Amino acid sequence: MPHATPIHPDSYADFLTRDELARIQLHRLQNIVALSYAKVELFRRRMQATGVKPEDIRSLADVARLPFTEKSDLRDTYPYGLFACPMQDVVRLHASSGTTGKPIVVGYTREDMKVWTSVMVRTLSAAGFHKGDIVQNCFGYGLFTGGLGAHYGAEALGATVIPISGGNTERQLMVMQDFGVTCICSTPSYFLHLIETIEASSRGFKDLKLRAGVFGAEPWTEGMRQRIEERSGIKAYDIYGLSEIIGPGVATECSCQCGLHVFEDHFLMEIVDPKTGRLMPDGEEGELVLTTLSKQAIPMIRYRTHDITSIIPEPCVCGRTLRRIRRISHRSDDMMIIRGVNVFPSQIEAALLKVEQTLPHYQILLTRKEGLDQIEVQVEVTEEMFRDRVSALEQLEKKLTHAIEHVVGLRIEVRLVEPKTIERSQGKAKRVVDQRKEGSAS
Ligand code: DLL
């Protein structure tokens, strides 16, 4: 696919030959393993336990001989136990809260910041952002990596950045119109909320200059992309990343919108069976495991992301030689087992999107009754729909229940709720509300 805009110099690394790339990867892998062995006690102990030495890493395939790293390793060594450099060399800290207890803390050296900025430049370039664009950055600024990650990337690209962060939707719309915004960075759920507010106001998308957006930080489906593109008329690209590896900028879609290119010169990927940890063949679904090849402050060796995807073995028509992964369909730890059937939130979303009249703002409510897990999907209906006849609502409820049953293979109760009753997130949406308490009878 031809490029509409000139390629940014940083993006040339997207087009190396596979041999050139492999040479760079091996050289970097050997260095990072040596650094981790020398500086990170936990990693050294684990390597010693398996009897593998840094000099045993002679090929890229040898990465499989190294021990895995888990999120719990970061928690157990909180805050700085996995740092491989002195604190004087750390110029930035970020943290990710997670669901329980202490956050995990990640650090960056000045060199790491250059790498992060560069992969973000490549990310935004792949989505067609360029010098001269006016970028509304709705990712949260602060300890979350989204805001500052996208900010540095957009600035280095030569674009004009508006560091607006999430929230204050009315002001977002004013800025979007008055400042002539052409590109946006947001979680897909927050952008959906912006769409809905624009539609409800006298402004329409036709009065805006908005052309493209990069959306990520949470799972979203292909159906959601289509809904976003239809309603807003912009191009919506998927961007992926995680704090432990660098933040946003691990993988991204190009103009083909068919899978996310992984920046393999900085992140070595493997797909493993989430249960056994064994390597899966290309094309098969499994857990993404990442090794950072250049990060100095916290090198991550074989980090278990718990994100489920697969490698797309065929080269992309855009000409990038970087391999692609399919969009993250779910996490290995967000599976709900309902009456013995495995259910993922993404399946529910895909089913809801098959039915026209929802936006869809939805939430999955888990409760426990007489020892049995109960699930209810609450779906918000639009104002027009809500004003409609009761029979129309009943029909919609039936349609949604049927759509879910078709996708999930299970009859799940659907409850239509009034417009604006499901809380809008300014960042990552909370899709599952778990009200089950151990031993609770109601
Ligand atoms: O969410 C970094 C980020 C910021 C990515 C902005 C993209 C855009 P964490 O808060 O550490 O970092 O959360 C990382 O979010 O392991 C995935 O489970 C999920 N995630 C991130 N991007 C996507 C995506 C940031 N495009 C965790 N699709 C990851 C699905 C995603 N899940």
Side-chain angles (χ1 to χ4, degrees):
M1 192 162 285
H3 272 271
T5 50
I7 291 172
H8 187 278
D10 283 15
S11 297
Y12 284 111
D14 297 4
F15 300 91
L16 298 172
T17 66
R18 292 297 305 179
D19 281 348
E20 280 168 333
L21 181 65
R23 262 199 304 278
I24 293 172
Q25 285 180 311
L26 180 58
H27 176 69
R28 290 184 175 169
L29 176 67
Q30 288 168 331
N31 283 344
I32 218 72
V33 170
L35 174 78
S36 305
Y37 192 86
K39 306 282 183 188
V40 184
E41 195 199 327
L42 178 125
F43 180 68
R44 186 169 51 247
R45 266 197 283 112
R46 288 213 179 133
M47 290 248 314
Q48 281 165 347
T50 58
V52 180
K53 298 232 166 53
E55 52 274 23
D56 295 330
I57 305 302
R58 295 199 191 92
S59 71
L60 286 173
D62 286 335
V63 72
R65 302 177 66 184
L66 298 169
F68 287 122
T69 309
E70 288 277 0
K71 192 179 215 124
S72 55
D73 295 327
L74 281 149
R75 288 223 178 86
D76 296 346
T77 57
Y78 172 87
Y80 302 140
L82 296 190
F83 281 39
C85 70
M87 276 314 279
Q88 292 96 296
D89 294 343
V90 175
V91 298
R92 174 82 70 78
L93 292 174
H94 279 280
S96 146
S97 50
T99 44
T100 49
K102 291 266 167 62
I104 56 143
V105 181
V106 294
Y108 303 75
T109 63
R110 207 169 285 288
E111 273 312 301
D112 294 339
M113 287 305 301
K114 283 191 195 149
V115 170
W116 191 14
T117 301
S118 173
V119 285
M120 276 311 294
V121 163
R122 292 159 70 183
T123 295
L124 300 175
S125 265
F129 290 26
H130 51 74
K131 185 176 168 64
D133 268 325
I134 301 185
V135 179
Q136 184 157 345
N137 186 13
C138 308
F139 285 133
Y141 280 69
L143 289 179
F144 175 54
T145 52
L148 285 166
H151 183 109
Y152 275 55
E155 236 177 49
L157 187 63
T160 308
V161 192
I162 308 172
I164 194 162
S165 204
N168 200 342
T169 304
E170 271 308 315
R171 192 178 57 168
Q172 299 268 359
L173 301 190
M174 181 194 72
V175 163
M176 199 182 283
Q177 182 157 32
D178 296 353
F179 294 12
V181 168
T182 54
C183 297
I184 191 160
C185 306
S186 168
T187 57
S189 58
Y190 187 60
F191 188 63
L192 202 66
H193 177 46
L194 289 178
I195 292 182
E196 150 187 84
T197 320
I198 292 172
E199 285 176 347
S201 73
S202 50
R203 306 175 184 97
F205 274 93
K206 59 181 182 335
D207 304 325
L208 301 173
K209 291 194 179 147
L210 198 62
R211 183 188 81 236
V214 292
F215 302 106
E218 63 185 8
W220 55 311
T221 55
E222 192 51 42
M224 180 73 99
R225 188 221 302 276
Q226 280 167 17
R227 194 62 58 91
I228 286 178
E229 292 194 339
E230 274 162 25
R231 300 287 276 260
S232 68
I234 73 165
K235 282 272 170 207
Y237 299 96
D238 193 2
I239 92 167
Y240 168 77
L242 59 164
S243 322
E244 299 88 317
I245 296 302
I246 203 154
V250 173
T252 195
E253 278 186 334
C254 62
S255 54
C256 303
Q257 296 179 304
C258 46
L260 294 90
H261 292 278
V262 176
F263 294 111
E264 292 179 281
D265 46 332
H266 295 296
F267 314 111
L268 189 67
M269 67 166 156
E270 301 168 81
I271 302 286
V272 305
D273 180 323
K275 289 209 182 77
T276 63
R278 219 166 302 132
L279 210 60
M280 309 279 286
D282 275 9
E284 280 188 33
E285 196 174 80
E287 179 181 343
L288 179 66
V289 170
L290 292 166
T291 299
T292 59
L293 294 175
S294 33
K295 224 162 40 127
Q296 302 293 308
I298 309 194
M300 274 292 158
I301 307 288
R302 302 195 85 202
Y303 185 72
R304 303 281 302 247
T305 65
H306 291 275
D307 290 324
I308 303 295
T309 181
S310 54
I311 292 174
I312 303 175
E314 299 80 32
C316 183
V317 290
C318 76
R320 282 181 180 74
T321 48
L322 301 170
R323 283 181 306 165
R324 289 167 296 160
I325 50 170
R326 295 198 166 79
R327 71 164 61 238
I328 307 291
S329 57
H330 58 266
R331 291 179 53 81
S332 58
D333 45 15
D334 71 3
M335 186 173 78
M336 303 169 284
I337 303 177
I338 312 293
R339 282 168 255 146
V341 178
N342 300 347
V343 181
F344 293 101
S346 56
Q347 293 176 301
I348 307 263
E349 180 175 303
L352 296 179
L353 280 156
K354 289 195 193 312
V355 179
E356 276 306 309
Q357 293 97 326
T358 54
L359 255 178
H361 290 293
Y362 68 96
Q363 209 155 43
I364 300 162
L365 188 67
L366 296 175
T367 50
R368 184 165 291 157
K369 200 170 170 188
E370 286 154 13
L372 285 181
D373 286 349
Q374 311 286 322
I375 178 171
E376 177 184 274
V377 179
Q378 300 185 340
V379 186
E380 216 178 88
V381 287
T382 53
E383 293 280 358
E384 311 89 76
M385 195 65 200
F386 209 71
R387 271 187 250 110
D388 227 322
R389 285 159 299 128
V390 174
S391 60
L393 288 176
E394 279 171 359
Q395 234 182 359
L396 175 62
E397 212 166 68
K398 265 199 203 126
K399 264 200 219 163
L400 293 170
T401 311
H402 184 74
I404 293 177
E405 191 171 4
H406 190 72
V407 173
V408 177
L410 200 68
R411 206 170 171 78
I412 290 177
E413 196 181 330
V414 172
R415 192 153 69 84
L416 298 182
V417 295
E418 288 184 42
K420 311 257 157 40
T421 41
I422 293 177
E423 200 187 327
R424 303 290 187 264
S425 78
Q426 299 177 3
K428 296 180 192 246
K430 187 168 172 56
R431 296 300 190 194
V432 182
V433 179
D434 194 346
Q435 293 180 340
R436 294 172 298 183
K437 279 204 196 84
E438 276 319 307
S440 153
S442 60

